[in-house]
Amino acid sequence: YVSANKRSQYLFTSLLYHSDLIITWDSHQQVLIQLLAEHSSLFGLGVKVLGLGTEMFPGGHHYHRNRSFMKKFIKRETDTYIFHMSWTENKDNKLLFLRQLGEWYVKDECVGKTATDILGGSEVLPSGENTALVQPCCAMEPIFSCHYRDKPSKLPCNNSPPIDKNGRPFW
């Protein structure tokens, strides 16, 4: 989370001003890390980082390296608030992993498209009124599909190939 104060506001304003680096590096994460360090040093911005062991905000580290946690997560036995698919090579794999995990709710016809494309050229409404994308893009139930037998999955995917060399089945 981010505290609402002038230092945090300046940090995110700086992040917007560094959009050229985000585009060049094809990721906001490295730019944000650089700015966090800089703003902490120059302006006294307090930065708290959650450890990898937290169950409230698990990420790709849990997904790829902690089978026992992932089995608890799938059974809804954790206090997870949000899942960030970090530690994953690319966006295509993130989508496949989240689908297999039963945590993907974006319909295929909206993936990789702009709001204008989805709405057929209609303008997106000003902030606070943007519900136009909910109907065409958001699924009521998770969109599940199997991809890799050696990755966590809501249901067994034993007939799928492994993604990792010598990967053992998750189930």
Side-chain angles (χ1 to χ4, degrees):
Y1 72 91
V2 177
S3 297
N5 60 46
K6 293 289 185 191
R7 284 181 282 221
S8 296
Q9 188 174 8
Y10 184 53
L11 168 72
F12 286 103
T13 300
S14 297
L15 183 63
L16 290 174
Y17 289 153
H18 285 81
S19 62
D20 60 325
L21 288 177
I22 295 170
I23 292 167
T24 300
W25 294 348
D26 199 26
S27 171
H28 70 283
Q29 290 176 324
Q30 293 303 317
V31 179
L32 182 58
I33 290 167
Q34 172 193 340
L35 289 172
L36 283 169
E38 182 177 296
H39 283 242
S40 175
S41 176
L42 293 175
F43 309 117
L45 176 72
V47 178
K48 295 178 185 174
V49 179
L50 298 174
L52 293 175
T54 180
E55 287 192 1
M56 279 187 76
F57 304 102
H61 180 269
H62 296 81
Y63 182 82
H64 295 291
R65 298 192 176 176
N66 193 336
R67 286 177 180 250
S68 62
F69 170 79
M70 291 309 301
K71 288 188 178 184
K72 285 177 28 182
F73 176 83
I74 289 165
K75 294 177 188 173
R76 304 284 189 230
E77 296 173 352
T78 66
D79 291 325
T80 299
Y81 181 74
I82 192 167
F83 196 102
H84 180 229
M85 190 56 77
S86 54
W87 288 53
T88 302
E89 186 175 348
N90 58 54
K91 291 177 187 176
D92 295 334
N93 279 347
K94 288 179 182 192
L95 183 136
L96 297 177
F97 294 159
L98 287 168
R99 284 182 72 120
Q100 182 164 306
L101 195 54
E103 296 294 331
W104 187 255
Y105 293 83
V106 181
K107 296 177 184 176
D108 289 342
E109 53 268 25
C110 296
V111 174
K113 297 203 172 115
T114 66
T116 304
D117 290 341
I118 295 163
L119 298 174
S122 300
E123 290 293 318
V124 178
L125 299 172
S127 180
E129 302 174 34
N130 284 331
T131 59
L133 294 172
V134 172
Q135 182 66 33
C137 294
C138 299
M140 295 288 286
E141 297 293 324
I143 300 169
F144 174 83
S145 55
C146 282
H147 300 281
Y148 305 109
R149 70 174 168 246
D150 57 339
K151 292 297 176 186
S153 56
K154 186 175 185 175
L155 302 171
C157 293
N158 295 329
N159 292 330
S160 298
I163 189 172
D164 296 329
K165 184 178 179 181
N166 301 320
R168 59 187 173 108
F170 180 74
W171 290 103

